[in-house]
Amino acid sequence: MRESRLKLAAGYVALLIVSVMFIVPFVWLLRSSVMDLSQIFIMPPEWIPRPFHFDNFKNAMTVVPFGAFFKNTLIIVVGVLLGTVVSSTIAAFGFSRIRWKGRDMVFAILMSAMMLPGAVTLIPSFLGWKTLGFYDTFYPLIVPAYFGGGIFNIFLLRQFYLTIPQDFDEAAFVDGANYFQIYWRILLPLSRSAVIVVALFTFLGSWNDFMGPLIYLKSDSHFTLALGLQMFQGSYTAQWDLLMAASAAVVMPCVVVFLIGQRYFLEGITLTGLKG
Amino acid sequence: MEAPALDRQSALDTQAIRKRKNARERKALFYGLLFTSPAILGFLIFTLGPMIASFYLSLTDYNVFKEGTDFIGFDNYAKLFSGEDDLFYQSLGTTFYFVVLRVPAVIIISFILALLLNMNVKGRSVFRTIIYLPSIVPAVASSMIWLWLLNPDLGLVNNVLQKLHLPTSSWLFGEGSVIPSIVLTTLWGIGGTVIIFLAGLSGIPKQYYEAIDVDGGGWFHKLRHITIPMVTPTIFFNTIMTIIGSFQVFSEAYILTQGGPNNKSLFFVFYLWRTAFRDTEMGYASALAWVLFIIILVFTAIVFKTSKSWVHYEGERT
C-alpha cells in the first residue's frame, strides 16, 4: 500500500517520540547502574557517566548475596524449562497426532482451566506443599512444570502439530514405527521453532516470577533474584546506584535472551494471538 | 439376487474389519491417554483438586494460628458482602477502577502503536523491538525503575514537567494519582498486545484498501470501514486477555505501593495475599478468591455475549 509523504513523515515523528518514551526508562536504568551517587541525582539529568562506575555491580553483590540468588534462580529456571518442554510436547502430541475417543472434550476441559485465576488454587496448593514438608524448598516452583507444562504451551504446540501433515505418521506406521518413535524422530525435529518459542516464554516466565517465590520461599538463602531485588529495595532505598546496578543485572539476561531469540518471540506471540 | 454364501463372507469381512478397527481404536485410546496423562494428572492435582479444596476452605474459618477449624457455611461470604469488611469493598473498588482505566488504555494505545508500526516506514523492525523490549522486563525491576522515575522530588518525570512549566504530580504517593500512575507504569509493558494487533493488521488483504482508493476515500474512511472491522477478532482476544490480567495484578501493587497510600491501591489479589499469608486467614481468603473467580467469569461472559454484535469473522461474511 502506498502512503502519502505527509502521512509517512507524521508516522516517523510519532514512532520516534514513542520509541524515545519506551527507551528512556531503559537508558535511565543503564546509566544509573554505572554512575557515582553524586552524579546520579544531578538535574537536569546527565546521561553519560563520568567516569563509568562498574564498581556498583561488585558493591551490590557484597551488600546482598546476589550470587546465591542467581544460582537459586538458575536451578529453578532450568528445572522448569526442562519439565515444561518435555511435558508439553508429549501432551501436545497426545492431543493432536493420536485420534482417541474423548480427546477433544478432555482438551476443552483443560483449556477452560486457563480462565481460572491463579488466586483460586493458590491457598490449597500452598497448604498442600506445606503439609508434604516442601515449604521453603524449590519443589513447589519446579514440580508442576513436569505435569503438562502449562495448558497454554500445550495449546500452542498442538496448533503447530496440527499443521504438520498426518501422512508422515501414516508412512512411519507402515514402516513399523510406534508412537514414541514418531514423537521423537518426526514431530520434535519438525517443530523445533515452536519448541523454542515455548522454551523462551517459559524462561522469561520463570525468571520473572515474583509471587511464586514470595509465597513458597522463606529463608534468605533460598531467595531468587526477583525476591532478592525486592528485599534489597526495602533495606537500601537510598542507594539508588546499587539498586539500579542490581536491577540491571536482573534485567540483562532477559534482554540477551530476547535479542537472540527475537524472531521466535514475535512468531510465538503472533501465533497465540491469531489462533486465540 | 445375491448368493447367501457371499453374504456370509462379506459379513465375516465386516466383522474382521470392525474387530481390527476396535483394536486400533483401543490402542489409540491407550496411547492417547498415556501421552496426555501428565497433563491430565497435572490438571487434577494442581487445578481441579485445589479448586474443590479452595471452595471447601472458603466455607470454613481455617486460620493457621487458630486451633481447630469449623465449618461455617457461607458465613465468610455473608461477612464479605455485609459491609463489615471495609477493605473488601475498598479493594474491589480499587480493582474495578484500575480495570476500567487500564483496559481501554491498553487496547487503544496498543492499537495506535500497531497502526504506526504497520506503516511502510524504514526501520520498522527496530521500532518494533524498542516497543516490545520493556514487556520482557521483570515486574520487580520495572517497578524499581518507575519508583524512581515517578519519585515526586528526585524523579525524572516531575523534573521534565517542571521544565516544561506543566503541573507536577505526587504520582504513586497521592491518593488520587496512585491508580492512574500504576496504570501508566504497566503501559510500558504493552508490547505483547501491540505485536498481536500487528499480526491482525498484516492479515488484512491489500485489495480492500485499493477498493477504497478507487472510490476516493481517505485514511479515516479506511480505518472506519476496513481496518477496525477486520481486526475486531484481535480486539476481542486482546480485550479478554487484558481484563483477565488486570483483575489479577499483584507484583506491581506489592512492590510499588504495598497498598498505600491510605489503602488507595489495595488491589484485590494483594488484599487476598495479605489476608492469607500475613493474617493467615486462609478460609476467609479462599472466599475472596472465589469472589474474584466469579467476577472474572461474569466479565468475560459479558464480553463474549456482546462480541456477537461487534466481532466479525471472515468465514461468516461470505
Side-chain angles (χ1 to χ4, degrees):
Chain A
M1 182 182 19
R2 271 184 54 81
E3 275 140 343
S4 69
R5 261 156 204 270
L6 187 73
K7 205 181 131 199
L8 263 185
Y12 271 117
V13 172
L15 274 175
L16 274 174
I17 293 173
V18 169
S19 298
V20 168
M21 283 164 64
F22 270 75
I23 210 139
V24 158
F26 250 115
V27 178
W28 189 259
L29 168 74
L30 289 183
R31 66 122 224 179
S32 312
S33 69
V34 284
M35 262 190 185
D36 191 57
L37 202 51
S38 59
Q39 199 191 356
I40 215 168
F41 292 116
I42 297 175
M43 285 291 168
E46 298 199 358
W47 294 97
I48 298 175
R50 265 173 312 121
F52 280 80
H53 252 269
F54 292 107
D55 275 9
N56 287 349
F57 288 95
K58 216 174 74 202
N59 293 339
M61 294 281 254
T62 53
V63 177
V64 175
F66 275 110
F69 298 164
F70 183 79
K71 205 183 102 197
N72 294 339
T73 309
L74 217 56
I75 292 171
I76 295 170
V77 168
V78 170
V80 168
L81 209 53
L82 203 70
T84 301
V85 168
V86 171
S87 188
S88 61
T89 51
I90 285 179
F93 183 87
F95 280 121
S96 60
R97 309 302 291 190
I98 307 174
R99 241 182 269 277
W100 46 282
K101 217 174 155 205
R103 178 184 81 175
D104 296 337
M105 200 188 67
V106 171
F107 186 68
I109 293 172
L110 262 59
M111 280 292 286
S112 68
M114 246 169 46
M115 299 275 288
L116 189 76
V120 173
T121 53
L122 185 70
I123 293 165
S125 305
F126 171 80
L127 292 174
W129 285 110
K130 203 174 167 202
T131 311
L132 292 173
F134 289 114
Y135 178 55
D136 203 20
T137 70
F138 298 154
Y139 291 103
L141 301 170
I142 298 174
V143 171
Y146 289 79
F147 287 85
I151 185 64
F152 187 70
N153 292 327
I154 299 176
F155 168 74
L156 203 146
L157 289 164
R158 176 180 165 271
Q159 297 299 103
F160 195 89
Y161 288 176
L162 287 174
T163 63
I164 298 170
Q166 200 83 34
D167 307 358
F168 291 177
D169 304 14
E170 308 281 328
F173 258 132
V174 171
D175 290 345
N178 61 32
Y179 283 117
F180 289 101
Q181 287 164 327
I182 294 171
Y183 159 76
W184 186 250
R185 298 257 172 96
I186 300 177
L187 259 291
L188 268 193
L190 280 176
S191 58
R192 219 179 55 124
S193 67
V195 173
I196 293 176
V197 168
V198 166
L200 287 172
F201 280 118
T202 306
F203 170 84
L204 280 191
S206 181
W207 186 274
N208 297 353
D209 184 21
F210 179 69
M211 199 188 207
L214 179 72
I215 282 163
Y216 287 111
L217 303 177
K218 183 168 151 264
S219 26
D220 295 4
S221 60
H222 290 166
F223 275 14
T224 60
L225 283 170
L227 271 191
L229 189 59
Q230 205 278 323
M231 183 183 92
F232 190 48
Q233 182 234 346
S235 35
Y236 296 90
T237 316
Q239 305 251 40
W240 282 104
D241 50 344
L242 301 190
L243 193 53
M244 287 298 116
S247 303
V250 175
V251 171
M252 274 313 134
C254 299
V255 173
V256 170
V257 165
F258 168 69
L259 292 178
I260 292 172
Q262 208 190 133
R263 187 166 70 87
Y264 297 103
F265 268 102
L266 301 176
E267 243 172 49
I269 297 175
T270 308
L271 192 71
T272 54
L274 283 180
K275 302 285 163 64
Chain B
M1 226 179 96
E2 281 174 38
L6 212 66
D7 233 20
R8 207 181 315 131
Q9 185 56 44
S10 80
L12 277 174
D13 275 356
T14 37
Q15 211 175 11
I17 288 168
R18 195 174 302 140
K19 224 182 208 162
R20 224 175 311 147
K21 205 175 149 230
N22 273 346
R24 213 166 53 205
E25 269 176 9
R26 261 205 307 278
K27 192 177 154 209
L29 182 65
F30 172 76
Y31 279 101
L33 285 174
L34 186 68
F35 273 88
T36 56
S37 57
I40 294 171
L41 276 177
F43 172 76
L44 296 176
I45 299 171
F46 296 110
T47 304
L48 192 63
M51 223 175 127
I52 295 165
S54 160
F55 186 64
Y56 175 76
L57 272 174
S58 79
L59 304 176
T60 71
D61 62 353
Y62 181 71
N63 183 325
V64 178
F65 290 124
K66 195 177 133 299
E67 246 181 73
T69 300
D70 291 322
F71 185 84
I72 54 169
F74 284 91
D75 281 8
N76 281 331
Y77 295 91
K79 186 182 162 198
L80 280 176
F81 289 105
S82 68
E84 193 185 321
D85 180 359
D86 302 339
L87 292 181
F88 168 68
Y89 282 108
Q90 171 96 51
S91 63
L92 211 55
T94 298
T95 308
F96 274 123
Y97 179 36
F98 180 72
V99 170
V100 166
L101 213 58
R102 181 168 185 261
V103 175
V106 166
I107 299 300
I108 293 168
I109 294 173
S110 51
F111 183 58
I112 293 172
L113 292 183
L115 283 177
L116 286 173
L117 285 175
N118 198 41
M119 288 175 75
N120 206 1
V121 293
K122 284 205 182 66
R124 256 165 42 137
S125 62
V126 176
F127 288 124
R128 199 179 52 189
T129 304
I130 290 174
I131 288 173
Y132 184 68
L133 203 56
S135 65
I136 63 158
V137 172
V140 198
S142 71
S143 298
M144 296 297 156
I145 303 171
W146 284 107
L147 265 175
W148 189 8
L149 289 175
L150 292 180
N151 187 301
D153 306 316
L154 304 167
L156 179 68
V157 177
N158 266 1
N159 240 279
V160 170
L161 290 176
Q162 230 161 26
K163 282 272 165 329
L164 300 171
H165 301 287
L166 290 168
T168 57
S169 165
S170 43
W171 302 111
L172 296 160
F173 297 93
E175 290 192 13
S177 56
V178 60
I179 296 293
S181 302
I182 297 179
V183 170
L184 193 76
T185 67
T186 66
L187 287 179
W188 194 44
I190 211 169
T193 317
V194 177
I195 304 293
I196 295 177
F197 267 127
L198 197 54
L201 287 175
S202 62
I204 302 175
K206 300 266 182 282
Q207 300 93 286
Y208 291 5
Y209 291 110
E210 283 157 14
I212 296 234
D213 277 333
V214 172
D215 292 347
W219 73 270
F220 184 74
H221 205 73
K222 288 178 190 165
L223 185 72
R224 168 89 179 69
H225 293 286
I226 296 174
T227 314
I228 291 180
M230 290 292 286
V231 292
T232 45
T234 318
I235 296 176
F236 175 64
F237 175 79
N238 280 337
T239 305
I240 295 265
M241 297 313 271
T242 312
I243 288 176
I244 294 178
S246 304
F247 267 115
Q248 296 186 73
V249 66
F250 173 76
S251 307
E252 286 84 356
Y254 184 95
I255 301 154
L256 285 172
T257 60
Q258 288 273 331
N262 198 14
N263 286 329
K264 283 292 182 293
S265 66
L266 187 75
F267 286 96
F268 199 87
V269 175
F270 179 71
Y271 178 51
L272 191 157
W273 169 84
R274 216 173 68 177
T275 309
F277 296 97
R278 201 196 63 187
D279 308 339
T280 69
E281 301 264 9
M282 300 269 184
Y284 191 61
S286 297
L288 283 172
W290 275 86
V291 171
L292 180 70
F293 180 31
I294 302 297
I295 290 173
I296 292 180
L297 216 58
V298 168
F299 264 72
T300 332
I302 291 172
V303 178
F304 259 98
K305 262 264 173 339
T306 62
S307 74
K308 289 199 181 76
S309 63
W310 61 268
V311 177
H312 304 276
Y313 287 104
E314 271 295 272
E316 290 169 18
R317 332 178 96 207
T318 45

